[in-house]
Amino acid sequence: MTGEKTNLALVMSGGGARAAYQVGMLRWLARRHPDLHVPILTGVSAGAINAAFLAARPEDFRERVEMLADLWRNLTAEQVFRVDTLSLARNVLRLGMKLVSGGFVSTPRPRSAVDTRPLWGLLEKALAARGGGALPGIEENLARGVLRAVAITTSSYTTGQSITWVQGSNIPQWDRAQRQSVNATLKVRHVMASAALPIFFPAIQIDGRWYGDGGMRLTAPLSPAVHLGADRILAISTRYQRTLAEAEQPAVTTYPPPAQIIGALFNAVFLDLFDADALTMERVNSVVEELPEDRREALRSIRLVVIRPSRDLGKLANEYEARLPGAFRFMTRGLGTRETRSNDLLSLLMFQPDYLTRLIELGEEDAEARSEEIEAFLAAAP
C-alpha cells in the first residue's frame, strides 16, 4: 500500500482557487495512508503550487498534506494579489489607457490586472525558499529517496512552447511537438510562472524569457508523469464533468457578459485537455494490453485514476461572491459575474477562506465516495 516498489505519480491540473479541491482529496488519502510514498509529483498552474509544496517539505506525507490544507484554508485574496482600490484602479486604468489610446499614451506598460507580489512572498515562506528563491527541500528529498522527480509546466510567451521544468535524479529530457522538458533546479519563480493566469496575473521571467500559465498549449498534461517513469497515475482534475442535461441548460439568457466568455475560454484552454489526455491514455492501455510483450517495444500499460469534482465549482462560487473584498468584487461584477449561473471565472479567482474550505471538504467527500476504487488502485500490482 505504500507504493515503495512502484513509481506512483500524482498529477494535479490547474484551476486557480479550485486547486483547494485537490487538497481535500489528498487529506482523505493521507488519513488512510499517512506514510504513502509518492515519488513522482507533477503540477500545472495552481496544481504546481501543491506539487511544489509536497516536493519541498521534509515532513511525512500526512503532515505535509495537513500543512498544505492549513495554507489553503487560511488563504485570502489579499495574500494572493493586492486588492486595495488604488492598486486595482491603477492596473485597470493602465490597461484601458493603452487600449483606447492606440498605445500612444506614455504610461508604464501594463503587465496584468492585479499585482501578485503578495503570492510571491507567501510561496517563499511556505516553500522555505532561500536566496534567489531556490527550494532546498526538493534536493534534500531527492537525496533521501523520498522523491524521484518533480515537474512543473509553464507556457513560453517568447517561443509559444510548453516547457516542463524537471528536477530529479538521472531524468532524461524529452522533446515533442511544441513541448519539451528542461532539467532545472526549481525555484519560486517556476511555480509563479506556472500559475500566472493570463491577463489577470503577470508573466514571469526565467533565464531571459517570459512564461505564463502552464495550462496553455499543454496538449498532454499526463505526459510529464509518463516520461518520468510512472507506472500508475493518480490525477486530480478541478473541472466538473456536466451531464448532458446540465450541459443543455443555458448559463446566461442574454448576450454573454465578459465573465462568461472568459470563463468558457479558460475552461477550454486550461482544463478540457486534461480529460482528453486521460481518455487517450485509457485507449493506449487497451491497445498495449492486447499486444504480446515482445511487440510492445517502449510502450507500457499505465494504471490511471482520475478524480473530478462532483459539483459545479462555478455555481458553488456564486454562493460566496458577496464576501469578496469590495474593490475586487466591484471589478469582477463589472465583468458580469452576477449575470451568469455558472461562474467559472469567479471560481478561479475566489481566494476566500470559506469557499476554499468548502472545496477541501468536497474533495474529501468525493474521495470517500470512490474509496473502493482508489484503494484497489493503490493495492494492485503494477
Side-chain angles (χ1 to χ4, degrees), residues 96-134:
M97 289 298 292
K98 285 291 184 182
L99 178 65
V100 300
S101 69
F104 287 105
V105 175
S106 59
T107 58
R109 180 183 295 275
R111 293 190 172 184
S112 61
V114 297
D115 182 346
T116 56
R117 279 179 289 183
L119 177 59
W120 196 301
L122 177 69
L123 291 180
E124 285 184 331
K125 182 178 179 180
L127 301 177
R130 292 179 181 169

Side-chain angles (χ1 to χ4, degrees), residues 46-334:
I49 295 176
N50 292 337
F53 188 95
L54 295 177
R57 300 298 309 188
E59 297 80 8
D60 62 34
F61 182 67
R62 181 168 185 172
E63 191 172 354
R64 277 181 286 163
V65 170
E66 285 303 319
M67 292 172 64
L68 183 60
D70 287 340
L71 178 68
W72 278 98
R73 276 195 297 258
N74 296 303
L75 192 62
T76 63
E78 292 88 344
Q79 292 175 295
V80 179
F81 47 79
R82 292 186 59 183
V83 296
D84 58 282
T85 303
L86 179 60
S87 177
L88 289 173
R90 181 173 59 245
N91 289 338
V92 172
L93 182 61
R94 286 176 178 174
L95 287 170
M97 289 298 292
K98 285 291 184 182
L99 178 65
V100 300
S101 69
F104 287 105
V105 175
S106 59
T107 58
R109 180 183 295 275
R111 293 190 172 184
S112 61
V114 297
D115 182 346
T116 56
R117 279 179 289 183
L119 177 59
W120 196 301
L122 177 69
L123 291 180
E124 285 184 331
K125 182 178 179 180
L127 301 177
R130 292 179 181 169
L135 309 180
I138 294 179
E139 190 62 41
E140 292 168 6
N141 284 334
L142 288 169
R144 291 165 50 209
V146 175
L147 186 67
R148 171 183 169 86
V150 56
I152 291 176
T153 300
T154 62
S155 297
S156 173
Y157 288 125
T158 306
T159 66
Q161 291 181 304
S162 176
I163 305 297
T164 298
W165 306 89
V166 181
Q167 186 170 353
S169 302
N170 301 317
I171 302 299
Q173 291 184 276
W174 64 88
D175 191 350
R176 300 292 185 270
Q178 292 300 311
R179 55 188 174 92
Q180 63 174 299
S181 70
V182 176
N183 292 336
T185 299
L186 294 178
K187 300 179 180 180
V188 171
R189 67 174 55 253
H190 293 96
V191 182
M192 286 291 296
S194 185
L197 198 66
I199 300 175
F200 287 93
F201 292 4
I204 303 297
Q205 191 175 37
I206 302 174
D207 298 334
R209 296 185 174 184
W210 294 94
Y211 296 87
D213 197 295
M216 296 185 290
R217 300 194 66 90
L218 185 58
T219 56
L222 297 175
S223 173
V226 175
H227 284 292
L228 295 176
D231 51 41
R232 61 181 69 189
I233 297 175
L234 179 60
I236 313 176
S237 173
T238 60
R239 178 178 180 266
Y240 171 68
Q241 196 170 43
R242 297 176 183 174
T243 65
L244 181 60
E246 289 173 322
E248 291 295 322
Q249 294 296 318
V252 293
T253 55
T254 59
Y255 188 84
Q260 178 67 22
I261 296 172
I262 296 172
L265 175 64
F266 281 174
N267 269 342
V269 173
F270 303 129
L271 304 176
D272 289 358
L273 291 177
F274 188 89
D275 296 334
D277 199 30
L279 180 59
T280 299
M281 178 170 287
E282 291 170 0
R283 289 174 174 170
V284 171
N285 283 344
S286 298
V287 172
V288 171
E289 289 163 8
E290 292 295 325
L291 291 173
E293 288 192 17
D294 60 349
R295 295 184 58 192
R296 294 181 182 182
E297 298 180 353
L299 294 175
R300 67 185 189 278
S301 179
I302 300 173
R303 294 184 181 274
L304 172 67
V305 168
V306 180
I307 306 295
R308 298 182 181 87
S310 60
R311 288 191 59 183
D312 187 329
L313 303 188
K315 289 183 178 179
L316 186 61
N318 284 333
E319 301 175 17
Y320 300 87
E321 185 267 351
R323 303 170 196 173
L324 282 170
F328 184 68
R329 184 177 66 244
F330 180 83
M331 184 180 75
T332 56
R333 287 182 177 180

